[in-house]
Amino acid sequence: MNKINPLMKADPVKRELIKNALVTVADNMIALVIRTSRSVVVKNNLDFSASILNGHGEMVAQGLSLPGHLGATEPALRGCLEHFGDNIRPGDILCNNDPYSGASHLNDLFMFRPIFVGDELIAFLSIIIHHTDMGGRVPGGNAPDSTEIYQEGLRIPPLKIMEAGKPNETLLRIIRTNVRVSDMVVGDMLSQMSSLVAAETEFRRIISDYGADTVRFYMSELIDYAERLTRQGIAALPDGTGEFTDWIDEDGAGGPPVRIQVRLTVQGDSAEIDFTGTSPQTSGAINPNRYFAVGLSLAVLRTVLDPSIPANAGFNRAVKVITPEGCFVNPRFPAPVGARGLAGFRVRHAVSGALAMLLPDRVGACVGGSEFALVLAGYPKGKSPFLTLEFHNVTGIGGGPDRDGQDGGPYGLANIANVPVEVIEAEGPVRVECYAFLPDTGGAGRYRGALGLVREYRLLEEEALIQLRSDRQVNRPYGLFGGDPGAPGRIIMNPGTPEERVAPAKFIGKMRQGELLRAEMPGAGGYGNPMERDPHAVVNDVLQGKISVEKAREIYGVAVDLAGHADLDATRALREKRAS
């Protein structure tokens, strides 16, 4: 399998052409899924990823994708290869959603299309989609209080969802029977399968243009090339070790706060990311499995290296990730992992903090947001069941070494799109009554963190089960090097009414028609001493309504006069008094 001609030499131009051709195949899979999928979480949220792997199961190229998905792609395929061995044929599509067979969590179904040239298996095309529901005790599959994976839904071990070009109707019927919104879920699966079939045609054009031997050689060369560039990039970083600790408030199932401990070491041309000291696995479902945590950790390191390094298995060779078995980021079976998306954010935050200790002039403070996920589901009389799944992924960037955090800016390590309010309202029985920035919530600093955001959801249907996942009500997004943390998040039910109450960050309950959920999301952390912030930048924030006159004076030591200008004499006096 995949014998490489030892006499063939790499041509940089041809390598680049083949790399771009492979990435285009992956991106076209993404485009096809957007056009043909059914659910909001796929076609609008873009919660899916595509990639190409060689015949050994090593990733060669990827489209515009999610780091968390891609960390599990190779292990999920490896689980399939271990099960099927040589029993893989042209026209098959392998599938796997089992976290204990290499996958991520049950909603993420990985599919792989083998590509043969004659009798030789030369590559796999891969696409992974987050499906709206996979059954289980709670709609949507993200319940933080599940205590074992058996509660989370349909666990699909390595199987063939298509065999010799024919869909596996038995498996599809089992899935259709066990999920709540079956037309949507199975529709997304058929979109997923169709994208792989179409991508095979495109991949074969590359083989036709260059020849199987050349494509095989350059798939191997691209991995080696990425490793060389990665090692060069790491070697250019200063040797040393950075340590950082971040926390999850609680696990949603009665457990204590979760500590994420990271020690990041750069030595020569390699790096090590060590999670020793992290809390044990929790009683609830926010545990991430190892593959998810590793993928996100590697993605953080990529942010300080040359972005042109090909995104493939070669990058991984230069970085060792240590996740002690039984700790929070490497739980033992049968730990639930359905709500692991929240933990994925915290893994990224902790690794970024450790990286900032090594590279303070290149890494910013913690992003805002509260890892917010909302599910509203119900069975209205005389109507079809509804399941509204909303991942709020527009957040705010932390203040950096040379600039403010971008308000409402996307977090590049998530890569999931913001779903427009109009789409949320069109697809579910809910009205979004507020979507706005929250003043005075960005962490103060020489460079300010982004403002927090608020969304308000009013239920229009008679009743719904509500499932909410959020965090950062206690452990706020951290500031760096004298910068303040962002404001904490809050969840409020029915604000401004006699029924107003502050809700937990994670809960499952009932919501009645007309009730309102207000989600206040944390601001991002600030960078550097707030007393060193340019007074004119503070005044500009006041004029834009981002901070109040009172906060300008109290936090930044900046006096704003009635005309909306900085009173420089008063500001100087305030700051001198604070310094003394």
Side-chain angles (χ1 to χ4, degrees):
M1 180 191 293
N2 289 299
K3 297 177 181 178
I4 305 298
N5 184 348
L7 301 179
M8 192 174 289
K9 302 297 181 183
D11 176 356
V13 174
K14 187 173 289 188
R15 179 178 60 209
E16 190 70 11
L17 290 171
I18 291 177
K19 182 199 77 172
N20 291 337
L22 295 173
V23 170
T24 299
V25 171
D27 279 337
N28 285 345
M29 279 194 275
I30 291 173
L32 183 57
V33 166
I34 292 172
R35 292 199 300 270
T36 60
S37 57
R38 298 283 300 278
S39 69
V40 170
V41 73
V42 179
K43 67 184 178 182
N44 299 105
N45 224 176
L46 308 184
D47 195 347
F48 64 101
S49 301
S51 58
I52 297 174
L53 303 96
N54 65 19
H56 298 294
E58 299 172 298
M59 189 177 293
V60 177
Q62 59 183 246
L64 181 63
S65 303
L66 280 64
H69 288 168
L70 296 165
T73 297
E74 287 187 22
L77 176 56
R78 193 156 54 243
C80 292
L81 295 178
E82 289 172 357
H83 174 73
F84 286 106
D86 294 332
N87 184 24
I88 300 173
R89 301 290 182 266
D92 290 349
I93 294 180
L94 316 178
C95 70
N96 181 6
N97 82 339
D98 181 10
Y100 295 99
S101 295
S104 182
H105 71 159
L106 299 187
N107 292 78
D108 288 347
L109 180 61
F110 291 77
M111 292 189 189
F112 303 97
R113 177 80 162 182
I115 305 297
F116 286 83
V117 174
D119 294 331
E120 181 185 2
L121 177 58
I122 192 171
F124 289 91
L125 308 178
S126 167
I127 190 159
I128 176 264
I129 282 181
H130 179 110
H131 291 280
T132 304
D133 187 65
M134 288 302 291
R137 55 178 280 269
V138 178
N142 289 278
D145 64 343
S146 295
T147 57
E148 59 178 2
I149 196 167
Y150 297 108
Q151 298 172 345
E152 295 190 307
L154 190 61
R155 199 162 140 229
I156 302 172
L159 291 172
K160 293 183 180 181
I161 199 166
M162 181 179 283
E163 188 164 10
K166 295 182 178 180
N168 183 339
E169 297 296 345
T170 301
L171 175 56
L172 289 171
R173 187 177 181 192
I174 290 171
I175 294 169
R176 188 183 294 275
T177 303
N178 280 276
V179 303
R180 291 171 176 84
V181 282
S182 58
D183 286 350
M184 182 181 295
V185 172
V186 175
D188 283 350
M189 290 181 182
L190 295 177
S191 169
Q192 191 172 3
M193 295 160 67
S194 297
S195 71
L196 290 169
V197 173
E200 178 174 356
T201 300
E202 291 191 38
F203 188 86
R204 290 196 179 280
R205 287 198 194 105
I206 300 174
I207 295 174
S208 176
D209 289 343
Y210 293 98
D213 289 344
T214 299
V215 171
R216 187 192 310 108
F217 170 81
Y218 278 100
M219 286 197 296
S220 177
E221 164 61 19
L222 277 167
I223 294 174
D224 293 341
Y225 177 59
E227 180 183 4
R228 293 195 298 271
L229 293 182
T230 302
R231 291 192 180 279
Q232 290 172 13
I234 293 175
L237 302 177
D239 285 355
T241 297
E243 295 194 52
F244 200 82
T245 304
D246 205 353
W247 295 83
I248 298 173
D249 294 349
E250 38 78 32
D251 70 356
V258 178
R259 172 191 176 107
I260 311 290
Q261 179 68 35
V262 177
R263 179 183 176 91
L264 193 157
T265 301
V266 172
Q267 182 66 46
D269 66 354
S270 63
E272 179 182 274
I273 302 172
D274 186 356
F275 286 90
T276 299
T278 293
S279 293
Q281 65 190 68
T282 73
S283 54
I286 63 171
N287 303 283
N289 68 2
R290 168 177 161 80
Y291 315 119
F292 189 64
V294 168
L296 296 170
S297 300
L298 296 174
V300 173
L301 189 58
R302 283 193 67 93
T303 64
V304 296
L305 299 179
D306 186 344
S308 68
I309 297 174
N312 63 40
F315 185 93
N316 307 2
R317 294 175 180 174
V319 187
K320 180 180 180 182
V321 182
I322 298 173
T323 57
E325 186 179 0
C327 82
F328 178 68
V329 295
N330 188 8
R332 295 186 179 95
F333 179 82
V337 295
R340 92 284 183 259
L342 186 154
F345 275 83
R346 195 66 77 253
V347 165
R348 287 172 277 195
H349 299 168
V351 177
S352 293
L355 192 59
M357 299 301 104
L358 277 175
L359 303 169
D361 59 337
R362 296 178 62 183
V363 180
C366 188
V367 300
S370 59
E371 301 84 52
F372 182 83
L374 172 69
V375 176
L376 294 170
Y379 301 92
K381 296 177 182 177
K383 301 179 184 178
S384 299
F386 65 88
L387 201 167
T388 299
L389 176 60
E390 154 74 335
F391 291 116
H392 185 84
N393 292 287
V394 168
T395 179
I397 307 302
D402 60 358
R403 70 192 67 186
D404 289 344
Q406 181 185 359
D407 296 308
Y411 186 31
L413 290 178
N415 277 2
I416 299 180
N418 180 44
V419 177
V421 166
E422 295 81 2
V423 173
I424 296 171
E425 294 178 337
E427 295 282 344
V430 64
R431 183 168 66 236
V432 180
E433 298 195 348
C434 178
Y435 184 17
F437 290 122
L438 289 168
D440 291 329
T441 54
R446 182 169 70 248
Y447 295 104
R448 175 184 55 78
L451 299 179
L453 295 163
V454 58
R455 266 191 173 177
E456 292 182 352
Y457 304 83
R458 190 176 299 277
L459 182 65
L460 304 181
E461 193 52 76
E462 183 176 346
E463 181 181 88
L465 181 142
I466 178 174
Q467 176 195 149
L468 182 75
R469 184 191 79 198
S470 64
D471 204 64
R472 293 291 195 192
Q473 293 190 1
V474 178
N475 297 283
R476 297 150 63 185
Y478 59 79
L480 286 177
F481 310 114
D484 291 341
R490 286 199 311 165
I491 304 296
I492 307 167
M493 294 299 300
N494 301 310
T497 72
E499 291 76 33
E500 177 177 332
R501 64 182 176 88
V502 176
K506 306 169 186 68
F507 72 91
I508 298 173
K510 292 286 187 180
M511 196 170 176
R512 308 293 179 182
Q513 188 175 53
E515 289 193 311
L516 185 77
L517 168 74
R518 178 179 172 89
E520 296 181 358
M521 302 178 196
Y527 188 103
N529 186 348
M531 291 295 137
E532 297 175 1
R533 184 165 176 78
D534 182 351
H536 298 291
V538 176
V539 170
N540 190 50
D541 285 341
V542 171
L543 293 175
Q544 294 187 52
K546 295 181 178 181
I547 65 173
S548 62
V549 171
E550 295 75 20
K551 291 294 183 182
R553 186 181 187 89
E554 173 189 342
I555 298 176
Y556 290 103
V558 174
V560 182
D561 62 25
L562 295 177
H565 301 292
D567 184 333
L568 296 180
D569 290 335
T571 295
R572 191 177 302 109
L574 284 170
R575 290 186 167 184
E576 288 175 355
K577 182 178 179 180
R578 181 74 61 87
S580 65

